[in-house]
Amino acid sequence: MNKTEENIPFFSILMSTYNRADLLPRAIRSIKKQLLPNWELILVNDGGEDISHIVKSFFDKRIRLVNLEDNAGKSAAINIAYKHSKGEYIAYLDDDDEWLPNHLQTHYDFILNHPEAMVSHSNACRVDVEKKRSGEEIIISRHLIYCNPVSFKELIKKNGITWLSVVHKRECFETVGGLDERLQVLVDFDLWRRMSMLYRFHHIPVHTGNYYIHRQVDQQITGLAVKNPLRFHAAAVLVQRKKVPPELKARYCRELQAARAEAYKLFLQARADQFMSAGNEKRCAASLALAEKIGKKQSRAEPA
């Protein structure tokens, strides 16, 4: 191995952050605690408050900070992080989540034993927390729910794995075109869905991380389903309308049609709510009528 190869990390960890300086240190600490040390962290500050002091406090040259002047959104930030990365394999961690110390080692061991594998995903807990006025976070519940194998079939309608669980070979990202920068939500669902059209997802039945759900909706991107349902369901429609390879389209024709119809129906219902809030009862009724029509058509298409 030459000197240049020695400087290439096995894993590149991509992370974006935006005004969550209170949560970011926990995520970085969980990376620092990894049993396998051959990694780099590409941390993109997506136009938020200065976090250079946080990065410097870890005294680790493996952490590389990229500062954006303006908020570009998670998809664009992660695409930029990828362009700055060098690793053979790509891993992801959000700024409010955490890995267990075994995460990278677990995937590394799997890769050594299965060199043909392009994508692997491990198990993760969903942890619901509530932040008190004092700033203290209280764990409300903890469930190991992201613990099943997935393929394209399981990803047709909804996401069944977390952002922090997946590791894939570098070339997978480029082959599918990276993250769709039109999306500000469902970005991981969209990426895994497109990857699963081309690659087998290998499940590792080992718990390696925790995915946090915060009660303060404004602080988490998944809260967009509550904050702005129209925008959320518009994103779902965009994901469902994407091209599917002919062989998969033929095999899962009914499931794909049902998922697209459901996404469009929910979008129309959200649009109806927006029209009602604006006092436009006529357009509200039109949207609801179309949603009902789609729902009836969908019901007739379902097997008895």
Side-chain angles (χ1 to χ4, degrees):
M1 182 180 290
N2 59 43
K3 190 170 182 179
T4 302
E5 290 173 331
E6 288 177 352
N7 292 331
I8 296 177
F10 193 82
F11 291 106
S12 286
I13 305 156
L14 311 186
M15 181 189 294
S16 66
T17 187
Y18 178 67
N19 290 342
R20 292 206 283 203
D22 57 328
L23 299 172
L24 179 61
R26 178 180 63 194
I28 297 178
R29 279 195 298 270
S30 78
I31 296 173
K32 287 274 291 182
K33 291 178 181 178
Q34 290 302 296
L35 298 174
L36 188 142
N38 192 5
W39 54 263
E40 66 172 357
L41 168 60
I42 311 299
L43 173 60
V44 176
N45 183 9
D46 189 18
E49 61 187 294
D50 181 31
I51 57 169
S52 58
H53 61 290
I54 295 176
V55 174
K56 290 177 182 177
S57 71
F58 285 96
F59 300 100
D60 197 321
K61 293 181 179 180
R62 294 173 296 179
I63 303 174
R64 296 163 57 197
L65 177 62
V66 179
N67 288 301
L68 304 184
E69 289 187 10
D70 302 308
N71 181 240
K74 181 176 180 178
S75 295
I78 294 298
N79 284 342
I80 290 170
Y82 176 80
K83 291 176 182 177
H84 283 81
S85 69
K86 301 176 182 178
E88 295 181 51
Y89 286 80
I90 302 298
Y92 305 89
L93 186 63
D94 276 340
D95 58 1
D96 62 334
D97 295 330
E98 66 179 353
W99 283 338
L100 301 184
N102 66 337
H103 181 72
L104 293 181
Q105 186 69 59
T106 296
H107 283 269
Y108 179 77
D109 292 342
F110 179 84
I111 290 165
L112 289 185
N113 291 316
H114 303 83
E116 78 287 354
M118 301 294 284
V119 185
S120 56
H121 65 102
S122 49
N123 293 349
C125 270
R126 167 174 166 157
V127 182
D128 291 87
V129 298
E130 184 176 66
K131 196 169 186 178
K132 301 298 183 181
R133 291 183 179 178
S134 63
E136 179 185 9
E137 281 192 340
I138 305 297
I139 294 177
I140 305 301
S141 64
R142 183 191 297 266
H143 302 286
L144 187 66
I145 61 175
Y146 303 102
C147 55
N148 296 309
V150 300
S151 64
F152 175 73
K153 181 179 180 180
E154 285 75 41
L155 292 168
I156 289 175
K157 185 176 181 180
K158 62 181 181 179
N159 195 7
I161 50 178
T162 58
W163 184 246
L164 63 89
S165 298
V166 176
V167 164
H168 61 75
K169 204 157 188 176
R170 181 176 191 85
E171 66 190 72
C172 299
F173 193 90
E174 293 182 6
T175 301
V176 301
L179 270 67
D180 186 339
E181 296 186 11
R182 294 173 296 175
L183 295 171
Q184 295 299 314
V185 68
L186 302 177
V187 296
D188 52 345
F189 173 43
D190 176 61
L191 183 62
W192 309 149
R193 201 170 182 268
R194 287 183 284 123
M195 279 192 184
S196 69
M197 295 178 191
L198 302 177
Y199 307 108
R200 177 186 172 189
F201 277 48
H202 295 262
H203 178 230
I204 306 173
V206 178
H207 176 206
T208 68
N210 295 321
Y211 169 69
Y212 285 84
I213 296 292
H214 300 271
R215 288 293 181 91
Q216 295 91 333
V217 172
D218 287 347
Q219 290 188 0
Q220 194 159 14
I221 193 167
T222 47
L224 189 62
V226 176
K227 280 195 307 179
N228 192 332
L230 183 62
R231 189 175 173 190
F232 178 87
H233 292 299
V237 170
L238 192 157
V239 171
Q240 291 294 341
R241 290 179 63 184
K242 290 191 176 183
K243 188 176 180 179
V244 175
E247 62 277 11
L248 290 176
K249 186 175 181 180
R251 187 185 308 170
Y252 301 113
C253 180
R254 180 171 293 180
E255 292 90 338
L256 286 165
Q257 288 178 348
R260 289 169 182 165
E262 180 69 11
Y264 193 38
K265 182 180 73 174
L266 292 173
F267 166 74
L268 288 168
Q269 290 172 345
R271 189 166 70 171
D273 289 340
Q274 189 177 73
F275 284 140
M276 180 59 74
S277 297
N280 193 331
E281 295 183 9
K282 185 176 180 179
R283 299 195 70 177
C284 172
S287 292
L288 287 176
L290 184 54
E292 184 179 4
K293 182 178 179 181
I294 291 172
K296 288 180 179 179
K297 184 177 179 181
Q298 187 178 354
S299 297
R300 289 195 297 269
E302 292 177 356

